[in-house]
Each structure stands twice: as C-alpha cells, then as structure tokens.
Amino acid sequence: ALQVAEENGMILPIGTWVLREVCRQIKVWRELGLSDLRFAVNLSPRQFHQENLVGKIIDILREFDVPATALELEITEGSIMENADAAVNLLNQLDQHGLSIAIDDFGTGYSSLSYLKRFPVSKLKIDRSFVMDIPGDPDDSAIAIAVIQLGRSLGLKVVAEGVETAEQRQFLSDQGCDMLQGYWYSKPLDAASFEAFALHAEKR
C-alpha cells in the first residue's frame, strides 16, 4: 500500500498528516512531563524530495509548539543517494534548524563514503536483515561490526534494528553498538500503552 501511495503521490498528504499527528502527540506527552524524549519519523523518498520540505516541517513544529530537537527524521540511504548533491544541501538546512537526521536501513543501498562524511547525520541504523541471523551468521556479523566501526570513526551513533534475542543484544552490545531496538525490548505500542510504559520508566 505504501509503495502504491509513493507511486501515485498520495504519500505526500499522508506524510504531512503523519508529521502533524506525531507533533500533536509529542505536545501532549511533553505536557505530561515526557520532555526528554526524541521521536523518529520516517520520510519516504518522495517526501524527502518534495518542494519546500524544510518549511513544511518547521511550520508543523511551530503549529504545535514542539522544539525541533524533539523530532528525528529517518531517511533511507537510497533516498539520499538519488541526488546526493541536492541531499547535502537539504540535510544541511534541516540540521541548521536543529532537526536530528538518521540514515535508515544502512547497508542495503549504495552510499558513497565520500558523500557520507558530508551528510550532517547523527545516526546510522543497521537494517534488521543484517541483525536477524547474528551472531550465528559470520557474514552478517561482519557487516554489523563494520557499520559500528564506521559510525564510531565518523562520530555517529549506531542503532541496530530488529533485535529480538538475548544473543543478538549481547553480541551488539559487546561490539559497542550505541542503541538497540526491537521486540526484545517491546513490541509496537499504541499511544496510550507507550505513555504508560514511558511514565513508568521515568519513575524508575
């Protein structure tokens, strides 16, 4: 369904609606005291290349009185590399407004390292396809280690997606992966369930 929306252009109004709903919910949670959390939103390739993306995001943040530092934008490396020179300019604009940028599904595309060092990103996210078979698969383990070392050398945080077992968690932690996400910690939650989860964590 998302691929169809991407192809026919419906992803643009859908993406705007998602951003507005996320910022509306951030405002609610900040009023409840959850002010130190950062929330990630995926941008589709078509969204990333739409006209006046930066202005639209800033307008939504202002509408809900949400600081830019509360929002992180996740963009696939394929989206960025479609037009790398334009992407550098756009990412710099987003960065100047205080928005955090993460490269999602890292390792599945075709990033040029010469461009990667120019992108003002803060995180690389190891795609779950490289996580699901570690530590048993030596090739996937080697890729995960390489991404972690690359991130460290560039001063970037590295996030592993799709962590579902204690063995995966231990291996990635031992390799120095900065952040882990996946069913090992929690399945996807609706807003009310996340609110209860986060407020409980704040009190611990």
Side-chain angles (χ1 to χ4, degrees), residues 8 23 52 90 96 108 146 191:
N8 65 23
C23 287
N52 195 27
L90 180 55
Q96 288 165 9
T108 62

Side-chain angles (χ1 to χ4, degrees), residues 59-121:
D59 286 346
I60 292 171
L61 290 169
R62 288 172 177 165
E63 177 184 354
F64 293 98
D65 193 28
V66 170
T69 52
L71 194 63
E72 179 170 278
L73 303 175
E74 295 189 358
I75 306 164
T76 64
E77 61 176 323
S79 298
I80 294 174
M81 294 306 297
E82 281 183 20
N83 188 337
D85 288 320
V88 170
N89 180 55
L90 180 55
L91 291 172
N92 277 322
Q93 290 181 54
L94 293 167
D95 180 64
Q96 288 165 9
H97 283 285
L99 289 151
S100 179
I101 310 294
I103 298 183
D104 198 16
D105 300 341
F106 188 76
T108 62
Y110 43 90
S111 286
S112 162
L113 296 184
S114 64
Y115 273 104
L116 183 59
K117 69 180 183 180
R118 294 172 56 193
F119 294 145
V121 300

